[in-house]
Amino acid sequence: MKRRSFSVLPFFTAGVCLAVLVLVAPSEAISHPKYQASSDNVVPNRYIVEFDYGDSTSANSFVHSVQNKFKKAKIHIAHQFDHDLFNGISFGLNGLDNKEHDAALKSVLDQDSVKAVYPVRVIKRPDITIRKVSSKGKTPSILPHAMTQVDRVHSELKKFGKGIKVGVVDTGIDYLHPALGGGFGKGFKVQYGYDLVGNDYTGGNTPVPDDDPLDSCTAESGASGHGTHVSGIIAGYDSKTNFTGVAPQATLGMWRVFGCKGNTGNDVLVKSFLMAYDAGMDVISVSIGENNAWSNGPDTIVAQRIAEKGIPFIVAAGNAGADGAFTVGMPSTAKDIWSTASVDNNYHLVDLFKASSISKKIVYLTSSGSKIPDGTAASGGTDACDPSTIPKLTGKIALVQRGTCTFDEKAANAAKAGAIGLIVYNSNNGDSFTPSNPEATIPVIGISTADGLALLAGIKSGTETLKFDTTQAVYPLVTGNTVSDFSSVGASYELDLKPNVAGIGGQIYSTLPRFLGSWGIMSGTSMATPYVAGSVALFIEAKGLKKNNKVISEQFKNYALKLVHVNGESAIESPLLQGAGLVQVYDAIAGKVRVSPTQLSFNDSSSFNKYKTQTVSIYNAGKVRATFKVINEPSISVAPYNRSVQGYALLAPTGFSNAKAKLIFSKTSITLNPGQKATVRVTVVPPKTNPKDHIMYGGYIRFKSGNRKTTLDTTVPYFGVVGKQRDLPLFDAKYPYLSDSDGTNVFSKSDTYTYNRSNSTTIPYIIYRLLTPTAKFDVDVLNAKTKKSIGKTMTDSVYLPANTLETDNYISGASWDATYIPPSFSDVSSGIPVPSGTYILHLRALKLLGNPKDSKDWETFQTGPIVVKN
Ligand SMILES: *[C@@H]1O[C@H](CO)[C@@H](O)[C@H](O)[C@H]1NC(C)=O
Ligand SMILES: *[C@@H]1O[C@H](CO)[C@@H](O)[C@H](O)[C@H]1NC(C)=O
Ligand SMILES: *[C@@H]1O[C@H](CO)[C@@H](O)[C@H](O)[C@H]1NC(C)=O
Ligand SMILES: *[C@@H]1O[C@H](CO)[C@@H](O)[C@H](O)[C@H]1NC(C)=O
Ligand SMILES: *[C@@H]1O[C@H](CO)[C@@H](O)[C@H](O)[C@H]1NC(C)=O
């Protein structure tokens, strides 16, 4: 079976919904206990092999053994992981037809020394817009360090990260930037690192490594400067403007895993993680990941093993918050990784313009490099999505509302009508915003709904002229100190509490490569992650405590600041958005009391009895006696669904509710002498919401100190689900269905589908849309007459994420080439063609957290008859 991802055009396209087929990658018809088949997003013909520990199989002898059996095979070793933490290689296998390819792969799997084989997965380049700004004379006022106590660590403790090594895995770094040390190697700020890929690497081609992690791309290449921005957040320092990173004296390492554009593979990530570990990094910062809330695959495994060695491993939670709950991504989902959420900065830099009819200046944001020239404003019709409704705009600045089509489409239509610039005003009474318009030929800016409507009134009542300021101004951000709207929401699919902590990631000013103008603002959990990594560097320096992830993460989580859900309101934000809260570095260093575990998952109602009572221990490592009251501080709840509106499709963005859990504590007051420890048993009484709503309640256990002058409060986040995850339906209504290569022609159960093997365009597809993720998905081939299975169509697909409402991930599809694997797979290397005849495909997908041995925990579907002709 071959997999494809089908993308449907956005819903706003009028008329029929067309499907665009994008071939992602063939999946092998291999069935083997050691083969860790993946879902889609795999790099064709590339594999990671893990050898048994202690096995000294060299990569060369491995290649020889395969080569001897398959003379035509072109085997290329991409990476060798000759390491205690992961012993293996990644290789490309080419030059063989499908059958030989599968046979060669099976011979690899059959080798005794091989522990597991994984297809290489595509890891997408972080998608982030840059706002190029000049903060002349205003830099210190837009730094977020007062929000995290980093300012106090600098000014009171005089800690700047000196001697602490922070490893970054990213797009490379422009270390010739004056704020990043101006060089590479001994004596410079950037002392460690490697380029694992080269400029031309895009994720599917062969990497060309060299030992210099410089970002040597150009503005024309489309490079984002992501790694340079991330590095500046950690350790940048510029004496001219007083730009100060979190740990400006820390030493940096950069392992470059992206070329100038395109993606990377998870084999490159595995290698980079191991290299950063071997270089002796004290903390590792990774602003990269996949939108998949499972926790598996070699990169996730290696990150976890590094954390188990005591190295704090900080990973971005993801920027898919707009898609709702369960959007935290791998590898941040691994147990001991710090999955990092983003909080908005309190201040940002804005541009301003003056409209002749409005007295106060209007704030706008833009990602456009060029500015709109001063001129006259005109209405561009409602939204500039339908060219026939757009008036002539020659030489005018067009004003339109947000929505219906993309910013690029609006800009193209307005430009065609003669506009010299485009102002888009926000919908839903929203604030000024940054439109993303990579293709636009005229500048595009975003303003608030209120300003847009005022401007529209001005245009209607006479001539409205606009004058644009040449310098930017520092403005408070209304969402400052709350979780960024893009920040991915937990929990992990297995109901581990993720994200774990938050850093500042919304509207962050930092370094850009000189080819991109040296300075700019980016927003993302990509920015929050290095913020937290820099904070850890300060902590390690202050405490002289290395390789102790357990204690370091306890201190940061115990003393993090709990944020409110919305500024001006009292509801506490859910731990599924902020984790333990926003890092408070001074308190993390000063805190003398440790509480563990640092977070509790009460799981869902099916395993309620196992998880409802848990024990938390509190230890006084200080020199004074401390007393505490134990208090429950419930947060707002996450309401992932609204059944009456869209069934079990996740709300995007997620909904919230005021449901609150009660906690029963075995003690409510505690006194601890220095060196003493106490335990508290915590039993949850979940809110009485309808289990069908799957409400995720949460909050914090606060150990409220009797004397905050000597002992600080500590907190532990908790959450749980009312309802059973395994009751969630997997397939959306009307799915799956059988189709042809068009993807949208539905063959119902009463239709007969004909597959003529000699005509490949007649190959059948199963189109599915998963509302809920599944850990196992397989397909049996049934004889249509006897309804008995003759075997499977493919290896089990494992750990499929849910489909989303996003265009390119709305539905998925898998084709059936009329082969099958008989139940006794041991001698079969690839699928056997079924004889001509009539078959039915029987799909099974394991319900979330379901028991594979219980047939009730599988959701099934049978297609109509498929006639296979030769
Ligand atoms: C930078 O900081 C120093 C010391 O606080 C101050 O004297 C100087 O004016 C600042 N420069 C700028 C450009 O803000
Ligand atoms: C929640 O329960 C399920 C099913 O028992 C289990 O697989 C999962 O690991 C649990 N999650 C956590 C975080 O303990
Ligand atoms: C679901 O959506 C409807 C319509 O928007 C709204 O009235 C209702 O309150 C929502 N229900 C929940 C549980 O959020
Ligand atoms: C293959 O099948 C398609 C779809 O049924 C049909 O349109 C096409 O003519 C066939 N091609 C040949 C060579 O028969
Ligand atoms: C199958 O397709 C081939 C080539 O398109 C054609 O020549 C042949 O007649 C078809 N066979 C049947 C049984 O439809």
Side-chain angles (χ1 to χ4, degrees), residues 197 393 410 420 522 654 843:
V197 293
L393 295 168
K410 289 177 196 285
I420 54 169
M522 290 190 187
T654 189
L843 282 62

Side-chain angles (χ1 to χ4, degrees), residues 107-129:
S107 85
V108 170
L109 286 154
D110 283 344
Q111 295 191 14
D112 286 341
S113 60
V114 169
K115 194 171 159 191
V117 176
Y118 308 84
V120 170
R121 293 176 62 74
V122 178
I123 307 290
K124 286 213 181 107
R125 190 184 197 86
D127 178 21
I128 277 180
T129 39

